[in-house]
Amino acid sequence: MFDCFFPDEIMDSSYDVDYEKLFADGFRGIIYDIDNTLVPHGFPADERAIKLFERLKSIGFKIMLLSNNKEGRVKMFNDAVNVQYIYKANKPAKSGYLKAMEKMGTNISTTVFIGDQLFTDVWGAKRCGIKNILVKPIDKHEEIQIVLKRRLEAIVLFFYYRKRKGKK
C-alpha cells in the first residue's frame, strides 16, 4: 500500500553513508536534497558539508543538488561546495531527477539520491528507479507544512519497519 514511499535504505545522517562502498558498488553520481539533509533549513554550507563534498569529489563522484527552493537559496549553499545544481525542481516530479542524471552523465544504475523527506525526495527517486537513502532530518524545528508531512511520514515508516521485520 505504501511501498512506493518506502526508502531503499535509512541512515541517521548523510555524513554516515559509506561513500567508498557506494563507489565500489558502481555508483558514480549522487543527487542531494539540501535542507535538513546536509544542513539545517536555510543554512549555508558548513565546514562539515564542505569537507564531505571535497571527499566525494576526491573519490570520483559527480554531485548534483536537487532542490525545490529558489535559486538564491540553492546558490548560497553551492557557493561553498561548487557542484552542479537544479533549483525549483518540483520534486517528486521525475523531470528534475532525470535532468540531474543527464547533466552528471549517469543513469539509474549509477546514481543514488539522498534526502530527508519521503513524499518528495524518496518518492521522486523511486519513481525514476534511482537507489535512494532516507536520512533523518538534521533540525527538528521545521515549517508547519513539513511538520504535518512528518506526521504522515511516521505512518508510512511504521508500515515500512513492520514489513522489514516480517522479512527477517
Side-chain angles (χ1 to χ4, degrees):
M1 177 172 157
F2 293 118
D3 288 13
C4 66
F5 301 113
F6 289 173
D8 293 333
E9 196 173 334
I10 297 178
M11 301 284 301
D12 284 338
S13 168
S14 299
Y15 300 96
D16 294 338
V17 174
D18 186 343
Y19 293 104
E20 287 78 8
K21 182 175 182 336
L22 283 175
F23 197 83
D25 289 345
F27 292 95
R28 295 298 181 260
I30 303 173
I31 305 172
Y32 280 105
D33 174 55
I34 300 171
D35 288 322
N36 258 346
T37 298
L38 294 163
V39 292
H41 186 80
F43 278 53
D46 57 18
E47 192 62 35
R48 184 168 72 156
I50 293 167
K51 285 182 180 178
L52 173 64
F53 279 68
E54 288 171 356
R55 177 177 151 217
L56 294 173
K57 289 173 188 177
S58 73
I59 293 170
F61 280 109
K62 295 188 177 160
I63 307 160
M64 177 70 67
L65 303 173
L66 186 68
S67 176
N68 285 347
N69 275 302
K70 295 177 183 172
E71 185 174 21
R73 161 65 187 125
V74 180
K75 186 178 181 319
M76 176 184 64
F77 181 88
N78 191 55
D79 283 347
V81 297
N82 196 30
V83 296
Q84 297 182 80
Y85 64 86
I86 297 171
Y87 62 95
K88 289 187 182 179
N90 201 26
K91 293 180 290 181
K94 293 164 60 172
S95 58
Y97 298 85
L98 298 173
K99 185 176 179 182
M101 287 186 289
E102 181 183 326
K103 284 183 155 195
M104 290 189 299
T106 62
N107 59 51
I108 61 171
S109 64
T110 60
T111 305
V112 63
F113 182 91
I114 301 174
D116 70 300
Q117 292 189 51
L118 286 177
F119 302 131
T120 52
D121 300 331
V122 169
W123 188 30
K126 286 186 74 78
R127 293 177 70 212
C128 294
I130 301 171
K131 176 180 174 63
N132 57 84
I133 301 172
L134 177 70
V135 295
K136 294 178 181 172
I138 291 174
D139 189 0
K140 301 296 181 209
H141 299 94
E142 298 178 301
E143 298 171 350
I144 187 66
Q145 72 271 18
I146 296 175
V147 170
L148 295 173
K149 280 198 283 185
R150 295 282 185 213
R151 291 184 180 174
L152 295 173
E153 285 181 353
I155 295 167
V156 173
L157 289 172
F158 169 82
F159 288 103
Y160 167 81
Y161 286 117
R162 189 165 91 174
K163 184 175 182 178
R164 276 189 65 206
K165 186 178 179 182
K167 288 185 176 181
K168 290 183 180 180

